[in-house]
mmCIF file with all atom_site columns, all heavy atoms in Angstrom:
data_model
loop_
_atom_site.group_PDB
_atom_site.id
_atom_site.type_symbol
_atom_site.label_atom_id
_atom_site.label_alt_id
_atom_site.label_comp_id
_atom_site.label_asym_id
_atom_site.label_entity_id
_atom_site.label_seq_id
_atom_site.pdbx_PDB_ins_code
_atom_site.Cartn_x
_atom_site.Cartn_y
_atom_site.Cartn_z
_atom_site.occupancy
_atom_site.B_iso_or_equiv
_atom_site.pdbx_formal_charge
_atom_site.auth_seq_id
_atom_site.auth_comp_id
_atom_site.auth_asym_id
_atom_site.auth_atom_id
_atom_site.pdbx_PDB_model_num
ATOM 1   N N   . SER A 1 372 ? -88.520 -89.275 -85.434  1.00 0.00 ? 373 SER A N   1
ATOM 2   C CA  . SER A 1 372 ? -88.679 -90.391 -86.224  1.00 0.00 ? 373 SER A CA  1
ATOM 3   C C   . SER A 1 372 ? -87.334 -90.836 -86.826  1.00 0.00 ? 373 SER A C   1
ATOM 4   O O   . SER A 1 372 ? -86.475 -90.003 -86.942  1.00 0.00 ? 373 SER A O   1
ATOM 5   C CB  . SER A 1 372 ? -89.684 -90.186 -87.353  1.00 0.00 ? 373 SER A CB  1
ATOM 6   O OG  . SER A 1 372 ? -89.110 -89.368 -88.257  1.00 0.00 ? 373 SER A OG  1
ATOM 7   N N   . MET A 1 373 ? -87.240 -92.135 -87.175  1.00 0.00 ? 374 MET A N   1
ATOM 8   C CA  . MET A 1 373 ? -85.993 -92.602 -87.834  1.00 0.00 ? 374 MET A CA  1
ATOM 9   C C   . MET A 1 373 ? -85.627 -91.824 -89.062  1.00 0.00 ? 374 MET A C   1
ATOM 10  O O   . MET A 1 373 ? -84.511 -91.408 -89.369  1.00 0.00 ? 374 MET A O   1
ATOM 11  C CB  . MET A 1 373 ? -86.052 -94.043 -88.021  1.00 0.00 ? 374 MET A CB  1
ATOM 12  C CG  . MET A 1 373 ? -84.636 -94.667 -88.329  1.00 0.00 ? 374 MET A CG  1
ATOM 13  S SD  . MET A 1 373 ? -84.764 -96.442 -88.592  1.00 0.00 ? 374 MET A SD  1
ATOM 14  C CE  . MET A 1 373 ? -84.842 -97.007 -86.912  1.00 0.00 ? 374 MET A CE  1
ATOM 15  N N   . LYS A 1 374 ? -86.700 -91.551 -89.933  1.00 0.00 ? 375 LYS A N   1
ATOM 16  C CA  . LYS A 1 374 ? -86.568 -90.834 -91.133  1.00 0.00 ? 375 LYS A CA  1
ATOM 17  C C   . LYS A 1 374 ? -85.866 -89.424 -90.853  1.00 0.00 ? 375 LYS A C   1
ATOM 18  O O   . LYS A 1 374 ? -84.873 -89.050 -91.520  1.00 0.00 ? 375 LYS A O   1
ATOM 19  C CB  . LYS A 1 374 ? -87.907 -90.667 -91.810  1.00 0.00 ? 375 LYS A CB  1
ATOM 20  C CG  . LYS A 1 374 ? -87.868 -90.068 -93.175  1.00 0.00 ? 375 LYS A CG  1
ATOM 21  C CD  . LYS A 1 374 ? -89.201 -90.188 -93.780  1.00 0.00 ? 375 LYS A CD  1
ATOM 22  C CE  . LYS A 1 374 ? -89.367 -89.470 -95.034  1.00 0.00 ? 375 LYS A CE  1
ATOM 23  N NZ  . LYS A 1 374 ? -89.381 -87.922 -94.884  1.00 0.00 ? 375 LYS A NZ  1
ATOM 24  N N   . GLU A 1 375 ? -86.397 -88.765 -89.845  1.00 0.00 ? 376 GLU A N   1
ATOM 25  C CA  . GLU A 1 375 ? -85.882 -87.388 -89.475  1.00 0.00 ? 376 GLU A CA  1
ATOM 26  C C   . GLU A 1 375 ? -84.540 -87.477 -88.974  1.00 0.00 ? 376 GLU A C   1
ATOM 27  O O   . GLU A 1 375 ? -83.643 -86.611 -89.213  1.00 0.00 ? 376 GLU A O   1
ATOM 28  C CB  . GLU A 1 375 ? -86.722 -86.687 -88.471  1.00 0.00 ? 376 GLU A CB  1
ATOM 29  C CG  . GLU A 1 375 ? -87.985 -86.135 -89.033  1.00 0.00 ? 376 GLU A CG  1
ATOM 30  C CD  . GLU A 1 375 ? -88.853 -85.682 -87.927  1.00 0.00 ? 376 GLU A CD  1
ATOM 31  O OE1 . GLU A 1 375 ? -89.212 -86.428 -86.942  1.00 0.00 ? 376 GLU A OE1 1
ATOM 32  O OE2 . GLU A 1 375 ? -89.425 -84.502 -88.045  1.00 0.00 ? 376 GLU A OE2 1
ATOM 33  N N   . THR A 1 376 ? -84.257 -88.530 -88.179  1.00 0.00 ? 377 THR A N   1
ATOM 34  C CA  . THR A 1 376 ? -82.866 -88.795 -87.598  1.00 0.00 ? 377 THR A CA  1
ATOM 35  C C   . THR A 1 376 ? -81.831 -88.861 -88.744  1.00 0.00 ? 377 THR A C   1
ATOM 36  O O   . THR A 1 376 ? -80.838 -88.225 -88.782  1.00 0.00 ? 377 THR A O   1
ATOM 37  C CB  . THR A 1 376 ? -82.893 -90.032 -86.705  1.00 0.00 ? 377 THR A CB  1
ATOM 38  O OG1 . THR A 1 376 ? -83.843 -89.927 -85.743  1.00 0.00 ? 377 THR A OG1 1
ATOM 39  C CG2 . THR A 1 376 ? -81.497 -90.314 -86.116  1.00 0.00 ? 377 THR A CG2 1
ATOM 40  N N   . ILE A 1 377 ? -82.304 -89.817 -89.736  1.00 0.00 ? 378 ILE A N   1
ATOM 41  C CA  . ILE A 1 377 ? -81.252 -90.022 -90.866  1.00 0.00 ? 378 ILE A CA  1
ATOM 42  C C   . ILE A 1 377 ? -81.079 -88.709 -91.646  1.00 0.00 ? 378 ILE A C   1
ATOM 43  O O   . ILE A 1 377 ? -79.999 -88.296 -91.843  1.00 0.00 ? 378 ILE A O   1
ATOM 44  C CB  . ILE A 1 377 ? -81.837 -91.184 -91.838  1.00 0.00 ? 378 ILE A CB  1
ATOM 45  C CG1 . ILE A 1 377 ? -81.823 -92.553 -91.007  1.00 0.00 ? 378 ILE A CG1 1
ATOM 46  C CG2 . ILE A 1 377 ? -80.943 -91.393 -92.988  1.00 0.00 ? 378 ILE A CG2 1
ATOM 47  C CD1 . ILE A 1 377 ? -82.499 -93.612 -91.723  1.00 0.00 ? 378 ILE A CD1 1
ATOM 48  N N   . GLU A 1 378 ? -82.173 -88.105 -91.901  1.00 0.00 ? 379 GLU A N   1
ATOM 49  C CA  . GLU A 1 378 ? -82.057 -86.928 -92.847  1.00 0.00 ? 379 GLU A CA  1
ATOM 50  C C   . GLU A 1 378 ? -81.353 -85.824 -92.162  1.00 0.00 ? 379 GLU A C   1
ATOM 51  O O   . GLU A 1 378 ? -80.572 -85.133 -92.719  1.00 0.00 ? 379 GLU A O   1
ATOM 52  C CB  . GLU A 1 378 ? -83.477 -86.510 -93.382  1.00 0.00 ? 379 GLU A CB  1
ATOM 53  C CG  . GLU A 1 378 ? -83.324 -85.489 -94.515  1.00 0.00 ? 379 GLU A CG  1
ATOM 54  C CD  . GLU A 1 378 ? -84.638 -85.054 -95.060  1.00 0.00 ? 379 GLU A CD  1
ATOM 55  O OE1 . GLU A 1 378 ? -85.631 -85.813 -95.003  1.00 0.00 ? 379 GLU A OE1 1
ATOM 56  O OE2 . GLU A 1 378 ? -84.655 -83.959 -95.535  1.00 0.00 ? 379 GLU A OE2 1
ATOM 57  N N   . GLY A 1 379 ? -81.677 -85.659 -90.871  1.00 0.00 ? 380 GLY A N   1
ATOM 58  C CA  . GLY A 1 379 ? -81.055 -84.618 -90.098  1.00 0.00 ? 380 GLY A CA  1
ATOM 59  C C   . GLY A 1 379 ? -79.452 -84.750 -90.145  1.00 0.00 ? 380 GLY A C   1
ATOM 60  O O   . GLY A 1 379 ? -78.817 -83.723 -90.370  1.00 0.00 ? 380 GLY A O   1
ATOM 61  N N   . VAL A 1 380 ? -79.044 -85.904 -89.871  1.00 0.00 ? 381 VAL A N   1
ATOM 62  C CA  . VAL A 1 380 ? -77.618 -86.077 -89.777  1.00 0.00 ? 381 VAL A CA  1
ATOM 63  C C   . VAL A 1 380 ? -76.946 -85.994 -91.254  1.00 0.00 ? 381 VAL A C   1
ATOM 64  O O   . VAL A 1 380 ? -75.921 -85.463 -91.430  1.00 0.00 ? 381 VAL A O   1
ATOM 65  C CB  . VAL A 1 380 ? -77.242 -87.428 -89.114  1.00 0.00 ? 381 VAL A CB  1
ATOM 66  C CG1 . VAL A 1 380 ? -75.621 -87.574 -89.051  1.00 0.00 ? 381 VAL A CG1 1
ATOM 67  C CG2 . VAL A 1 380 ? -77.753 -87.491 -87.744  1.00 0.00 ? 381 VAL A CG2 1
ATOM 68  N N   . GLN A 1 381 ? -77.672 -86.565 -92.208  1.00 0.00 ? 382 GLN A N   1
ATOM 69  C CA  . GLN A 1 381 ? -77.216 -86.371 -93.628  1.00 0.00 ? 382 GLN A CA  1
ATOM 70  C C   . GLN A 1 381 ? -77.104 -84.870 -93.987  1.00 0.00 ? 382 GLN A C   1
ATOM 71  O O   . GLN A 1 381 ? -76.135 -84.513 -94.694  1.00 0.00 ? 382 GLN A O   1
ATOM 72  C CB  . GLN A 1 381 ? -78.142 -87.115 -94.565  1.00 0.00 ? 382 GLN A CB  1
ATOM 73  C CG  . GLN A 1 381 ? -77.824 -88.605 -94.355  1.00 0.00 ? 382 GLN A CG  1
ATOM 74  C CD  . GLN A 1 381 ? -78.583 -89.543 -95.317  1.00 0.00 ? 382 GLN A CD  1
ATOM 75  O OE1 . GLN A 1 381 ? -79.530 -89.041 -96.026  1.00 0.00 ? 382 GLN A OE1 1
ATOM 76  N NE2 . GLN A 1 381 ? -78.309 -90.822 -95.309  1.00 0.00 ? 382 GLN A NE2 1
ATOM 77  N N   . ARG A 1 382 ? -78.035 -84.063 -93.523  1.00 0.00 ? 383 ARG A N   1
ATOM 78  C CA  . ARG A 1 382 ? -77.875 -82.678 -93.832  1.00 0.00 ? 383 ARG A CA  1
ATOM 79  C C   . ARG A 1 382 ? -76.618 -82.002 -93.163  1.00 0.00 ? 383 ARG A C   1
ATOM 80  O O   . ARG A 1 382 ? -75.977 -81.129 -93.748  1.00 0.00 ? 383 ARG A O   1
ATOM 81  C CB  . ARG A 1 382 ? -79.108 -81.929 -93.288  1.00 0.00 ? 383 ARG A CB  1
ATOM 82  C CG  . ARG A 1 382 ? -80.356 -82.125 -94.192  1.00 0.00 ? 383 ARG A CG  1
ATOM 83  C CD  . ARG A 1 382 ? -81.473 -81.204 -93.704  1.00 0.00 ? 383 ARG A CD  1
ATOM 84  N NE  . ARG A 1 382 ? -82.765 -81.647 -94.050  1.00 0.00 ? 383 ARG A NE  1
ATOM 85  C CZ  . ARG A 1 382 ? -83.857 -80.957 -93.787  1.00 0.00 ? 383 ARG A CZ  1
ATOM 86  N NH1 . ARG A 1 382 ? -83.769 -79.862 -92.975  1.00 0.00 ? 383 ARG A NH1 1
ATOM 87  N NH2 . ARG A 1 382 ? -85.018 -81.309 -94.279  1.00 0.00 ? 383 ARG A NH2 1
ATOM 88  N N   . ILE A 1 383 ? -76.388 -82.453 -91.944  1.00 0.00 ? 384 ILE A N   1
ATOM 89  C CA  . ILE A 1 383 ? -75.184 -81.985 -91.290  1.00 0.00 ? 384 ILE A CA  1
ATOM 90  C C   . ILE A 1 383 ? -73.984 -82.345 -91.996  1.00 0.00 ? 384 ILE A C   1
ATOM 91  O O   . ILE A 1 383 ? -73.087 -81.590 -92.242  1.00 0.00 ? 384 ILE A O   1
ATOM 92  C CB  . ILE A 1 383 ? -75.035 -82.536 -89.782  1.00 0.00 ? 384 ILE A CB  1
ATOM 93  C CG1 . ILE A 1 383 ? -76.237 -81.989 -88.928  1.00 0.00 ? 384 ILE A CG1 1
ATOM 94  C CG2 . ILE A 1 383 ? -73.784 -82.173 -89.119  1.00 0.00 ? 384 ILE A CG2 1
ATOM 95  C CD1 . ILE A 1 383 ? -76.370 -82.479 -87.493  1.00 0.00 ? 384 ILE A CD1 1
ATOM 96  N N   . ARG A 1 384 ? -73.942 -83.640 -92.523  1.00 0.00 ? 385 ARG A N   1
ATOM 97  C CA  . ARG A 1 384 ? -72.858 -84.025 -93.361  1.00 0.00 ? 385 ARG A CA  1
ATOM 98  C C   . ARG A 1 384 ? -72.645 -83.317 -94.600  1.00 0.00 ? 385 ARG A C   1
ATOM 99  O O   . ARG A 1 384 ? -71.616 -82.863 -94.934  1.00 0.00 ? 385 ARG A O   1
ATOM 100 C CB  . ARG A 1 384 ? -73.029 -85.554 -93.614  1.00 0.00 ? 385 ARG A CB  1
ATOM 101 C CG  . ARG A 1 384 ? -71.895 -86.203 -94.424  1.00 0.00 ? 385 ARG A CG  1
ATOM 102 C CD  . ARG A 1 384 ? -72.265 -87.592 -94.637  1.00 0.00 ? 385 ARG A CD  1
ATOM 103 N NE  . ARG A 1 384 ? -71.386 -88.235 -95.588  1.00 0.00 ? 385 ARG A NE  1
ATOM 104 C CZ  . ARG A 1 384 ? -71.561 -89.499 -96.094  1.00 0.00 ? 385 ARG A CZ  1
ATOM 105 N NH1 . ARG A 1 384 ? -72.663 -90.090 -95.888  1.00 0.00 ? 385 ARG A NH1 1
ATOM 106 N NH2 . ARG A 1 384 ? -70.707 -89.952 -96.947  1.00 0.00 ? 385 ARG A NH2 1
ATOM 107 N N   . TRP A 1 385 ? -73.730 -83.109 -95.189  1.00 0.00 ? 386 TRP A N   1
ATOM 108 C CA  . TRP A 1 385 ? -73.684 -82.130 -96.441  1.00 0.00 ? 386 TRP A CA  1
ATOM 109 C C   . TRP A 1 385 ? -73.093 -80.746 -96.148  1.00 0.00 ? 386 TRP A C   1
ATOM 110 O O   . TRP A 1 385 ? -72.171 -80.317 -96.780  1.00 0.00 ? 386 TRP A O   1
ATOM 111 C CB  . TRP A 1 385 ? -75.042 -82.026 -97.019  1.00 0.00 ? 386 TRP A CB  1
ATOM 112 C CG  . TRP A 1 385 ? -75.131 -80.862 -98.085  1.00 0.00 ? 386 TRP A CG  1
ATOM 113 C CD1 . TRP A 1 385 ? -74.620 -80.978 -99.275  1.00 0.00 ? 386 TRP A CD1 1
ATOM 114 C CD2 . TRP A 1 385 ? -75.561 -79.580 -97.795  1.00 0.00 ? 386 TRP A CD2 1
ATOM 115 N NE1 . TRP A 1 385 ? -74.837 -79.691 -99.882  1.00 0.00 ? 386 TRP A NE1 1
ATOM 116 C CE2 . TRP A 1 385 ? -75.354 -78.828 -98.968  1.00 0.00 ? 386 TRP A CE2 1
ATOM 117 C CE3 . TRP A 1 385 ? -76.160 -78.877 -96.752  1.00 0.00 ? 386 TRP A CE3 1
ATOM 118 C CZ2 . TRP A 1 385 ? -75.664 -77.495 -99.189  1.00 0.00 ? 386 TRP A CZ2 1
ATOM 119 C CZ3 . TRP A 1 385 ? -76.476 -77.557 -96.784  1.00 0.00 ? 386 TRP A CZ3 1
ATOM 120 C CH2 . TRP A 1 385 ? -76.267 -76.887 -98.050  1.00 0.00 ? 386 TRP A CH2 1
ATOM 121 N N   . ALA A 1 386 ? -73.493 -80.170 -94.985  1.00 0.00 ? 387 ALA A N   1
ATOM 122 C CA  . ALA A 1 386 ? -73.146 -78.807 -94.719  1.00 0.00 ? 387 ALA A CA  1
ATOM 123 C C   . ALA A 1 386 ? -71.645 -78.841 -94.347  1.00 0.00 ? 387 ALA A C   1
ATOM 124 O O   . ALA A 1 386 ? -70.913 -77.692 -94.451  1.00 0.00 ? 387 ALA A O   1
ATOM 125 C CB  . ALA A 1 386 ? -73.885 -78.293 -93.504  1.00 0.00 ? 387 ALA A CB  1
ATOM 126 N N   . LEU A 1 387 ? -71.008 -79.889 -93.806  1.00 0.00 ? 388 LEU A N   1
ATOM 127 C CA  . LEU A 1 387 ? -69.658 -79.874 -93.401  1.00 0.00 ? 388 LEU A CA  1
ATOM 128 C C   . LEU A 1 387 ? -68.727 -80.342 -94.422  1.00 0.00 ? 388 LEU A C   1
ATOM 129 O O   . LEU A 1 387 ? -67.475 -80.005 -94.347  1.00 0.00 ? 388 LEU A O   1
ATOM 130 C CB  . LEU A 1 387 ? -69.542 -80.665 -92.153  1.00 0.00 ? 388 LEU A CB  1
ATOM 131 C CG  . LEU A 1 387 ? -70.327 -80.258 -90.809  1.00 0.00 ? 388 LEU A CG  1
ATOM 132 C CD1 . LEU A 1 387 ? -70.098 -81.256 -89.682  1.00 0.00 ? 388 LEU A CD1 1
ATOM 133 C CD2 . LEU A 1 387 ? -69.917 -78.819 -90.542  1.00 0.00 ? 388 LEU A CD2 1
ATOM 134 N N   . ASP A 1 388 ? -69.126 -81.188 -95.250  1.00 0.00 ? 389 ASP A N   1
ATOM 135 C CA  . ASP A 1 388 ? -68.243 -81.994 -96.226  1.00 0.00 ? 389 ASP A CA  1
ATOM 136 C C   . ASP A 1 388 ? -67.854 -81.035 -97.476  1.00 0.00 ? 389 ASP A C   1
ATOM 137 O O   . ASP A 1 388 ? -68.724 -80.693 -98.243  1.00 0.00 ? 389 ASP A O   1
ATOM 138 C CB  . ASP A 1 388 ? -68.986 -83.281 -96.697  1.00 0.00 ? 389 ASP A CB  1
ATOM 139 C CG  . ASP A 1 388 ? -68.020 -84.043 -97.672  1.00 0.00 ? 389 ASP A CG  1
ATOM 140 O OD1 . ASP A 1 388 ? -66.887 -83.554 -97.907  1.00 0.00 ? 389 ASP A OD1 1
ATOM 141 O OD2 . ASP A 1 388 ? -68.349 -85.166 -98.040  1.00 0.00 ? 389 ASP A OD2 1
ATOM 142 N N   . PRO A 1 389 ? -66.526 -80.763 -97.577  1.00 0.00 ? 390 PRO A N   1
ATOM 143 C CA  . PRO A 1 389 ? -66.124 -79.832 -98.657  1.00 0.00 ? 390 PRO A CA  1
ATOM 144 C C   . PRO A 1 389 ? -66.363 -80.480 -100.024 1.00 0.00 ? 390 PRO A C   1
ATOM 145 O O   . PRO A 1 389 ? -66.403 -79.769 -100.979 1.00 0.00 ? 390 PRO A O   1
ATOM 146 C CB  . PRO A 1 389 ? -64.658 -79.524 -98.342  1.00 0.00 ? 390 PRO A CB  1
ATOM 147 C CG  . PRO A 1 389 ? -64.245 -80.556 -97.376  1.00 0.00 ? 390 PRO A CG  1
ATOM 148 C CD  . PRO A 1 389 ? -65.428 -81.138 -96.631  1.00 0.00 ? 390 PRO A CD  1
#
Side-chain angles (χ1 to χ4, degrees):
S373 72
M374 193 175 280
K375 186 169 170 286
E376 284 174 307
T377 303
I378 295 173
E379 194 178 332
V381 182
Q382 287 182 350
R383 285 189 196 176
I384 296 176
R385 182 177 169 194
W386 165 77
L388 298 179
D389 182 355

